[in-house]
Amino acid sequence: MNNIIFLDLKKINSQYEYELKEACSRVIDSGWYIMGKELTEFEAEFASYCNTKHCIGVANGLDALILVLRAWKELGLLNDGDEVIVPANTYIASILAISENGLKPVLCEPNIDTYNLDAQGIKKCITSKTKAILPVHIYGTISPMDEICQLAKDHNLLILEDCAQSHGAEIAGVKAGAWGDASGFSFYPGKNLGALGDAGAITTNDDKLADILVALRNYGSHKKYENLYQGVNSRLDEIQAAMLRVKIKYLADETILRQKIAEYYLSKINNPLVTLPNYQERNRHVWHLFVLRCKERSRLQSYLSENGIQTLIHYPIPPHKQKAYQEFNDYVLPLTEQIHREILSIPISPVMETAEIDCVVNIINNFR
Amino acid sequence: MNNIIFLDLKKINSQYEYELKEACSRVIDSGWYIMGKELTEFEAEFASYCNTKHCIGVANGLDALILVLRAWKELGLLNDGDEVIVPANTYIASILAISENGLKPVLCEPNIDTYNLDAQGIKKCITSKTKAILPVHIYGTISPMDEICQLAKDHNLLILEDCAQSHGAEIAGVKAGAWGDASGFSFYPGKNLGALGDAGAITTNDDKLADILVALRNYGSHKKYENLYQGVNSRLDEIQAAMLRVKIKYLADETILRQKIAEYYLSKINNPLVTLPNYQERNRHVWHLFVLRCKERSRLQSYLSENGIQTLIHYPIPPHKQKAYQEFNDYVLPLTEQIHREILSIPISPVMETAEIDCVVNIINNFR
Ligand SMILES: Cc1ncc(COP(=O)(O)O)c(/C=N/[C@@H]2[C@@H](O)[C@@H](OP(=O)(O)OP(=O)(O)OC[C@H]3O[C@@H](n4cc(C)c(=O)[nH]c4=O)C[C@@H]3O)O[C@H](C)[C@H]2O)c1O
Ligand SMILES: Cc1ncc(COP(=O)(O)O)c(/C=N/[C@@H]2[C@@H](O)[C@@H](OP(=O)(O)OP(=O)(O)OC[C@H]3O[C@@H](n4cc(C)c(=O)[nH]c4=O)C[C@@H]3O)O[C@H](C)[C@H]2O)c1O
């Protein structure tokens, strides 16, 4: 019997076991646990990876998004009630970040081929109150940032990229996180770059924004005991920064492994009951998730499970149908609803064995 | 030349070095990094330490306070603009938690002998809009919770204890964290129970509150992918929970060491230029900080520094004079201002050597 689990994080991290333990020991021994040199080094390394001027470590991916919008409010660029366009088919965190700030999420239908926003879809949602776009590079594929940036420029809108699932995805050599006015990253353990706990970061080229964010994550304080803003506590621990510094070294190689598996899946899975993700130019997609569609999703999921293949659904309930957002419950968003009804994420990860990959292909192809 | 640093966290944690490293390794090897069994165990251990029904781990001490007030709003017990009475002489986080929730901080003058709120002071601040009291057990001494609870009962007010500085302080055998309707704890590394990164917790005996908090810290979700509330991401990492499980075993002994040093300071420091903290019945004070007052504080601080003794000021600027709270800048709060002008925290910690303690005493006594 197969036992192909969805994501074998234990195996992923055990590859770097000694380095990770060494990193923890180094921090324990140092006696310095918050906002020290591991964080500064990691911020420099991640800014360099994204090719942005600044990286500001924060406690998690949701906070990264929340804090950028909060900073823009502090800077007078956004005001209560302003509209922010966001894909309707995202992880709920993208939307929470908007409502948390007293702004209005405008749920936009995605492109059904890429599951991402495109300029055409966004255009339909722009009103006189629109002040920002929050494109989510879902599943690992970067949104068409070239056209979205042009649109934002034409309409004088801010762009906050949600890069929680897309570390390293790029268009024309420019990575996710370097297109928008600012970007939020998650280093949740299961992400392509995952810490061993919660962690996140913001990237930006904007000095003023970076400066205010550094205070907002630290009770609103730049200088000990002096509070310029009403801030929060959202810091990236030294111990997590040290472990991220280990893992970032392997990110590029792990991304290539993901891309190879995805390309193999794309070329070998050929069951007419299953819709494969769109092929994307290499590097446009970093395959955080490999997401199929199937009209009979629940039957497919049970079948795979009976055959020892674990799958997940990202996500079973669209945000507008959640109890947390009763104000949106009556919305009719056919594409978004279809996506949530039909999608299924199959295993993909840098530690999958060839035999496992083949097994996934064969079992899916034998689904009737 | 002496070199008595304010708080030697490196030395404190190096006592438990092997256990801490073993705890990290255990979590790294487990492959499970968020909301797993280390957290569950720590929550049970800390609830048992405080003798409360529930403990809910969160990302830090500020979030602990924010989330309780947020939960009370969700439960309809608080509404925008309601007044919350809080000591004017606290760390700014206590006040941030209130304004973060759209509630109104009412800055109350403390008792000059204990630096804490008392019933008499609170009474003067109660209006028809008062809905809650947020007593801060500052420096490690528990507020007079017996009388504060009675007052709250008489006026139908909620109590949120800020226990960031007072792990284990007690009155009549009942610990800080077990008196109020809910309590917030910080495990910032320098706290009496300190993690090796940011961490915090909420204690309460209220089942309904505990239930909602468990969702609010996790995007508003009790069950994966189902969001009942608009929540945040504020979790206590497995790795920090595992290290806190090591450190909690030594908390009682470390507290006794702090109490012994404090009692020694109280009996030996006898410089008329210096006002000592009030003697407190044992266990009422856990001596997170040992705080003197001196009319010539800056001269005393320089003198101690020249003599190799590092001190800190908790805190140099009262919250109502911070730029972050311009709406309070004109307030006149004479006791609070006097406190901030005169206080000085001298070294106290479980790893101080007898020679160091004597040295601090002698040097202070020689201040002219
Ligand atoms: C677009 C977008 N924007 C903002 C955010 C917010 O970022 P955040 O605040 O950092 O979460 C997200 C987050 N996104 C993710 C979200 O996609 C979802 O991801 P998920 O794949 O459902 O996650 P999971 O099932 O918990 O983990 C994946 C697998 O990994 C295994 N695992 C997991 C853990 C934690 C472990 O320790 N060991 C394991 O073996 C279990 C599963 O098989 O839920 C998470 C809590 C969010 O962080 C996002 O997708
Ligand atoms: C009443 C009340 N309510 C809510 C809160 C909010 O809780 P929080 O969100 O968890 O911070 C606090 C927080 N309270 C504290 C606050 O009291 C203040 O504490 P502090 O003594 O000024 O702290 P510090 O100077 O950073 O550390 C103390 C000493 O320890 C050394 N050190 C420090 C670190 C971090 C290290 O890694 N290694 C070291 O050697 C340096 C110093 O000599 O500032 C902190 C950031 C807050 O968490 C509070 O007091």
Side-chain angles (χ1 to χ4, degrees):
Chain A
M1 175 64 177
N2 304 310
N3 182 23
I4 305 179
I5 69 172
F6 181 71
L7 181 67
D8 196 341
L9 262 184
K10 192 170 162 160
K11 191 166 168 193
I12 291 179
N13 288 327
S14 74
Q15 302 175 96
Y16 317 123
E17 180 189 337
Y18 296 102
E19 280 188 274
L20 291 170
K21 289 180 181 173
E22 193 283 316
C24 282
S25 294
R26 187 170 75 225
V27 173
I28 293 172
D29 292 340
S30 76
W32 201 266
Y33 312 114
I34 288 174
M35 304 234 281
K37 71 174 199 297
E38 300 289 346
L39 177 60
T40 308
E41 292 291 329
F42 173 69
E43 288 175 334
E45 288 161 15
F46 195 68
S48 151
Y49 176 80
C50 294
N51 197 19
T52 56
K53 199 161 164 195
H54 304 281
C55 166
I56 300 108
V58 296
N60 57 67
L62 173 52
D63 277 2
L65 300 173
I66 290 175
L67 287 172
V68 169
L69 296 173
R70 188 171 176 138
W72 282 340
K73 285 184 80 181
E74 283 287 351
L75 290 167
L77 299 174
L78 290 178
N79 290 297
D80 284 337
D82 283 350
E83 293 181 359
V84 181
I85 296 172
V86 61
N89 62 318
T90 183
Y91 184 59
I92 197 162
S94 323
I95 296 169
L96 288 171
I98 300 170
S99 46
E100 183 69 22
N101 278 291
L103 304 166
K104 189 171 173 244
V106 173
L107 306 181
C108 183
E109 287 265 65
N111 179 310
I112 187 75
D113 292 325
T114 61
Y115 306 125
N116 276 336
L117 293 187
D118 59 20
Q120 214 185 331
I122 295 170
K123 235 181 247 168
K124 291 187 200 144
C125 294
I126 296 179
T127 74
S128 61
K129 288 185 170 168
T130 310
K131 289 288 150 54
I133 311 172
L134 201 163
V136 180
H137 310 311
I138 200 120
Y139 306 149
T141 189
I142 188 168
S143 312
M145 292 310 295
D146 32 10
E147 61 181 60
I148 294 176
C149 287
Q150 187 55 51
L151 185 72
K153 211 170 154 194
D154 294 345
H155 291 79
N156 202 16
L157 306 175
L158 293 161
I159 296 181
L160 169 54
E161 291 177 72
D162 183 342
C163 305
Q165 305 193 1
S166 58
H167 314 70
E170 59 182 56
I171 296 174
V174 179
K175 285 206 170 66
W179 287 88
D181 298 286
S183 306
F185 284 86
S186 166
F187 308 122
Y188 183 76
K191 299 304 187 194
N192 284 22
L193 178 57
L196 280 79
D198 273 307
I202 296 153
T203 55
T204 183
N205 292 317
D206 181 338
D207 296 341
K208 238 177 159 171
L209 179 67
D211 181 65
I212 197 170
L213 284 167
V214 163
L216 286 182
R217 71 171 172 188
N218 190 40
Y219 320 98
S221 172
H222 284 111
K223 202 172 150 222
K224 200 175 174 186
Y225 307 140
E226 285 183 28
N227 293 72
L228 223 45
Y229 310 101
Q230 295 178 19
V232 296
N233 183 346
S234 182
R235 300 177 288 221
L236 202 176
D237 287 339
E238 287 291 286
I239 216 162
Q240 297 297 342
M243 292 198 279
L244 284 166
R245 291 183 64 203
V246 171
K247 294 196 66 183
I248 197 174
K249 292 189 292 176
Y250 304 102
L251 177 57
D253 287 345
E254 290 195 344
T255 300
I256 293 171
L257 291 173
R258 286 176 182 275
Q259 288 166 332
K260 285 191 175 152
I261 298 171
E263 282 158 18
Y264 191 78
Y265 279 161
L266 286 170
S267 68
K268 297 287 180 186
I269 298 176
N270 58 12
N271 187 326
L273 297 174
V274 158
T275 307
L276 292 172
N278 227 32
Y279 176 73
Q280 301 276 330
E281 201 183 315
R282 257 254 175 139
N283 295 341
R284 223 178 147 112
H285 206 323
V286 294
W287 301 101
H288 171 54
L289 298 168
F290 192 95
V291 178
L292 310 170
R293 275 203 338 265
C294 177
K295 298 271 176 218
E296 300 176 80
R297 185 205 25 222
S298 116
R299 200 164 65 77
L300 175 60
Q301 186 169 34
S302 307
Y303 162 83
L304 291 174
S305 169
E306 282 155 21
N307 283 281
I309 298 173
Q310 193 193 357
T311 57
L312 286 179
I313 298 171
H314 293 93
Y315 305 90
I317 306 174
H320 71 285
K321 295 292 181 194
Q322 296 282 359
K323 292 217 177 77
Y325 283 109
Q326 295 199 14
E327 61 271 42
F328 302 143
N329 285 182
D330 292 337
Y331 282 20
V332 179
L333 297 162
L335 290 181
T336 298
E337 287 159 30
Q338 181 194 348
I339 291 169
H340 284 79
R341 214 164 42 233
E342 297 183 356
I343 46 169
L344 189 66
S345 308
I346 64 171
I348 186 164
S349 96
V351 292
M352 277 182 87
E353 314 276 347
T354 314
E356 292 176 316
I357 301 165
D358 272 325
C359 170
V360 171
V361 168
N362 293 332
I363 289 173
I364 291 178
N365 284 342
N366 288 328
F367 176 62
R368 292 289 168 267
Chain B
M1 176 64 176
N2 303 310
N3 181 22
I4 305 179
I5 69 172
F6 181 71
L7 181 67
D8 195 341
L9 263 184
K10 191 169 163 162
K11 190 167 168 193
I12 291 179
N13 288 327
S14 73
Q15 302 174 98
Y16 318 124
E17 180 189 337
Y18 297 102
E19 281 188 273
L20 292 170
K21 289 180 181 173
E22 193 282 317
C24 282
S25 294
R26 189 170 72 225
V27 173
I28 293 172
D29 292 339
S30 76
W32 201 265
Y33 312 114
I34 287 175
M35 303 234 283
K37 72 172 198 296
E38 299 290 345
L39 176 61
T40 309
E41 292 291 329
F42 173 70
E43 288 175 334
E45 288 161 14
F46 196 67
S48 150
Y49 177 81
C50 294
N51 197 19
T52 56
K53 200 162 163 194
H54 303 281
C55 167
I56 300 107
V58 296
N60 56 68
L62 174 51
D63 277 2
L65 300 173
I66 290 175
L67 286 172
V68 169
L69 297 173
R70 187 170 176 138
W72 282 340
K73 286 184 81 181
E74 284 285 352
L75 291 167
L77 299 174
L78 291 178
N79 291 296
D80 284 337
D82 283 350
E83 293 180 0
V84 181
I85 296 172
V86 62
N89 62 315
T90 184
Y91 184 60
I92 198 163
S94 323
I95 295 169
L96 289 171
I98 301 170
S99 47
E100 182 69 22
N101 279 289
L103 304 165
K104 189 171 174 243
V106 174
L107 307 181
C108 182
E109 287 265 66
N111 179 310
I112 186 76
D113 292 325
T114 62
Y115 306 124
N116 276 336
L117 293 188
D118 59 19
Q120 215 185 330
I122 295 171
K123 236 182 247 167
K124 291 187 201 144
C125 294
I126 296 179
T127 74
S128 61
K129 287 185 170 168
T130 310
K131 288 290 150 54
I133 310 172
L134 201 163
V136 180
H137 310 312
I138 199 121
Y139 306 149
T141 189
I142 187 167
S143 312
M145 291 312 294
D146 32 10
E147 61 181 59
I148 293 176
C149 288
Q150 187 54 52
L151 185 72
K153 210 170 155 195
D154 295 345
H155 292 79
N156 202 17
L157 305 176
L158 293 162
I159 296 181
L160 169 55
E161 291 177 71
D162 184 341
C163 304
Q165 305 193 2
S166 59
H167 314 70
E170 60 183 53
I171 295 174
V174 179
K175 286 206 170 67
W179 287 88
D181 297 286
S183 304
F185 284 87
S186 166
F187 308 122
Y188 182 76
K191 298 304 186 192
N192 284 21
L193 178 57
L196 281 78
D198 273 307
I202 296 153
T203 56
T204 182
N205 291 317
D206 182 338
D207 297 340
K208 239 177 159 170
L209 179 68
D211 182 66
I212 197 169
L213 284 166
V214 164
L216 287 182
R217 72 170 172 190
N218 189 41
Y219 319 99
S221 171
H222 284 110
K223 202 174 151 221
K224 201 176 175 186
Y225 306 140
E226 285 183 29
N227 292 72
L228 222 45
Y229 309 101
Q230 295 177 20
V232 296
N233 184 347
S234 181
R235 300 178 289 221
L236 202 176
D237 287 338
E238 286 292 284
I239 216 162
Q240 296 298 342
M243 292 198 280
L244 284 166
R245 291 184 65 202
V246 171
K247 294 196 68 184
I248 197 175
K249 293 190 291 176
Y250 304 102
L251 176 57
D253 286 346
E254 290 194 346
T255 300
I256 292 171
L257 291 174
R258 286 175 183 275
Q259 288 167 332
K260 286 190 174 153
I261 298 170
E263 283 159 17
Y264 190 78
Y265 279 161
L266 286 170
S267 69
K268 297 287 180 188
I269 298 175
N270 58 12
N271 187 325
L273 296 175
V274 158
T275 307
L276 292 171
N278 226 32
Y279 176 73
Q280 301 275 331
E281 201 182 315
R282 258 254 176 139
N283 296 340
R284 224 179 147 111
H285 207 322
V286 294
W287 302 99
H288 171 55
L289 299 167
F290 192 95
V291 178
L292 310 170
R293 278 205 332 267
C294 178
K295 300 270 176 218
E296 300 176 79
R297 189 216 7 233
S298 116
R299 201 164 64 78
L300 175 59
Q301 185 169 34
S302 309
Y303 162 82
L304 291 173
S305 169
E306 283 155 20
N307 284 281
I309 298 173
Q310 192 192 358
T311 58
L312 286 179
I313 298 170
H314 294 92
Y315 305 90
I317 306 174
H320 71 284
K321 296 292 182 196
Q322 296 281 0
K323 292 217 176 79
Y325 284 108
Q326 295 199 12
E327 61 271 43
F328 302 143
N329 284 180
D330 292 336
Y331 282 22
V332 179
L333 297 161
L335 290 180
T336 298
E337 287 158 29
Q338 182 193 348
I339 291 169
H340 285 80
R341 210 165 44 233
E342 298 183 356
I343 47 169
L344 189 67
S345 307
I346 64 171
I348 187 165
S349 96
V351 293
M352 277 183 87
E353 314 276 347
T354 313
E356 291 176 315
I357 301 164
D358 273 325
C359 170
V360 171
V361 169
N362 293 333
I363 289 174
I364 292 178
N365 284 342
N366 288 329
F367 177 62
R368 290 289 168 266

